[in-house]
Amino acid sequence: MTLPRGLFDHNRIVRVVLTGGAGFLGSHLADRLLAEGHRVVIVDNFVTGSRQNIAHLGSNPNVLVLEQDCSTSLQVAGDVDFVAHFASPASPDDFKRIPLDVLRVGSHGTENCLNLCTVKGAKFIFASTSEVYGDPVISPQPESYWGNVNPIGIRSVYDEAKRFGEAITMAYHRYRKVDTRIIRFFNTYGPRMRLDDGRVVPNFVSQALRGEPLTVYGDGSNTRSFGYYADAIDCVYRLMMSNEHDPVNIGSQEERTMLEFAQAVIKATGSTSRIEHMPAAEDDPKQRRPDTTRAKQILGWEPTTSLEDGLAATIEYFRTIV
Ligand code: UDP
């Protein structure tokens, strides 16, 4: 694979502090970094992360696992070359269940990571989200769009914490000269998502596998564009190796209504489940699709996994844990 030229020599072993390293995306990023020959310090408080996601790394000498809440403090001894802040609950169910944790990890957690970068002379990447666009009134959403966010709504604990996280990242970049990057994930899915996380992919897949009704909220006309984790992680790695400081969207162009997606899951699982409409969720964005032109232009990145293939692999994973 050809990667863009980066700030550090690719042959040098880099030590990366990865918050949320036991989470869905974090654990996949850990695997990628290790495969590229780097060393990883996984920091997780296991509030939504899982020891199972990193069990396969148990004996790897290039991995250190620290059980810490990065929102409270972030203590890592020794050299640190990069900090990747991937810790955060990310499901709308979590926003209602543990709203203060969500706010704190996006705000205090991000600041603690940036302070560690300042002390260690490390680079930084912030895992942000399409939620910074709120309920977008333009589609697809380019990085230049400022969004349409309800600052006091049920989802604001996540949206505003991530917006604050982006703001403090840029402030440390501008005023403290930290070498930063921001990636905005759009509905990324795949193996290692939490079965009970409450988001649409684990919900529909587990419901279909159990033969239960698929719970479509509202009339099912909301759209999402589902991006497979392996494509997203490839983009993260490219961004880490690049010199790009402005936010980069990452996701898929395969936009579906939730009704279409429910039908796709039923077909892919061969389930006999029916669809059941439930009350619409509050402040639920009506549409979402990333404009990924920048990722292509700057990082030479393009997704390679179709929704059909990604869904098949995800269903295989959920079959093992349902
Ligand atoms: N959704 C649904 N049924 C579910 C879970 C979610 O219809 O069991 C819908 C939800 O209303 C939203 C979309 O699926 O329109 C995506 O929701 P998710 O919780 O996965 O994440 P979001 O993209 O809203 O952050």
Side-chain angles (χ1 to χ4, degrees):
M1 177 193 334
T2 316
L3 287 172
R5 284 187 65 79
L7 279 183
F8 49 74
D9 178 352
H10 289 193
N11 295 323
R12 193 165 75 84
I13 300 293
V14 167
R15 191 165 184 248
V16 182
V17 169
L18 173 55
T19 73
F24 160 51
L25 285 174
S27 65
H28 285 300
L29 179 58
D31 286 348
R32 175 64 186 267
L33 291 168
L34 292 164
E36 299 283 349
H38 305 299
R39 288 182 293 148
V40 182
V41 180
I42 289 174
V43 177
D44 210 297
N45 66 353
F46 297 98
V47 64
T48 52
S50 139
R51 290 178 204 281
Q52 192 56 38
N53 286 345
I54 53 171
H56 61 290
L57 302 177
S59 57
N60 190 321
N62 291 325
V63 179
L64 174 66
V65 179
L66 299 178
E67 185 166 350
Q68 278 183 30
D69 180 357
C70 68
S71 303
T72 309
S73 76
L74 188 54
Q75 306 292 335
V76 182
D79 288 349
V80 177
D81 305 287
F82 222 115
V83 177
H85 187 32
F86 276 61
S88 179
S91 162
D93 276 9
D94 296 332
F95 310 161
K96 288 182 261 179
R97 188 174 61 89
I98 43 173
L100 299 181
D101 297 56
V102 175
L103 273 169
R104 289 173 64 243
V105 76
S107 54
H108 299 301
T110 309
E111 185 170 14
N112 288 336
C113 287
L114 285 159
N115 282 333
L116 185 68
C117 290
T118 310
V119 171
K120 303 282 187 180
K123 304 178 204 309
F124 181 63
I125 183 165
F126 179 57
S128 189
T129 168
S130 53
E131 283 286 323
V132 299
Y133 303 121
D135 189 1
V137 296
I138 62 163
S139 185
Q141 296 88 51
E143 290 88 347
S144 54
Y145 178 48
W146 290 355
N148 176 38
V149 174
N150 175 355
I152 56 162
I154 197 94
R155 299 172 81 108
S156 65
V157 293
Y158 187 63
D159 300 11
E160 296 294 9
K162 288 292 189 183
R163 287 170 71 99
F164 174 87
E166 290 200 7
I168 195 169
T169 298
M170 292 310 293
Y172 269 68
H173 175 64
R174 292 190 182 107
Y175 306 112
R176 300 227 172 136
K177 306 299 171 210
V178 178
D179 188 350
T180 61
R181 290 137 185 81
I182 295 172
I183 189 145
R184 291 179 180 159
F185 290 101
F186 281 66
N187 290 86
T188 312
Y189 73 101
R192 299 189 194 160
M193 290 187 95
R194 258 163 54 217
L195 185 63
D196 60 351
D197 138 328
R199 279 182 287 181
V200 71
V201 174
N203 273 13
F204 283 2
V205 172
S206 61
Q207 289 161 345
L209 291 176
R210 291 177 179 134
E212 296 167 357
L214 272 64
T215 52
V216 170
Y217 301 160
D219 64 4
S221 63
N222 287 345
T223 70
R224 293 294 186 271
S225 310
F226 297 101
Y228 195 56
Y229 83 89
D231 288 328
I233 293 298
D234 185 46
C235 189
V236 171
Y237 193 70
R238 285 166 184 252
L239 184 58
M240 288 176 77
M241 296 297 142
S242 80
N243 297 325
E244 182 59 37
H245 304 297
D246 289 336
V248 176
N249 282 342
I250 187 66
S252 154
Q253 301 303 315
E254 294 193 69
E255 187 174 9
R256 301 279 189 278
T257 67
M258 291 308 96
L259 208 47
E260 287 167 345
F261 185 58
Q263 283 152 355
V265 170
I266 288 173
K267 188 171 166 216
T269 50
S271 173
T272 54
S273 291
R274 58 187 178 79
I275 287 169
E276 184 176 291
H277 287 270
M278 308 275 284
E282 209 177 311
D283 275 352
D284 199 0
K286 285 178 276 306
Q287 57 178 351
R288 192 180 286 155
R289 176 155 68 98
D291 181 335
T292 51
T293 310
R294 292 193 74 233
K296 185 174 180 184
Q297 283 175 349
I298 296 164
L299 307 172
W301 175 89
E302 278 189 284
T304 58
T305 314
S306 66
L307 181 59
E308 200 177 33
D309 289 349
L311 199 50
T314 306
I315 289 166
E316 281 322 299
Y317 170 75
F318 277 109
R319 271 189 211 284
T320 65
I321 57 169
V322 155

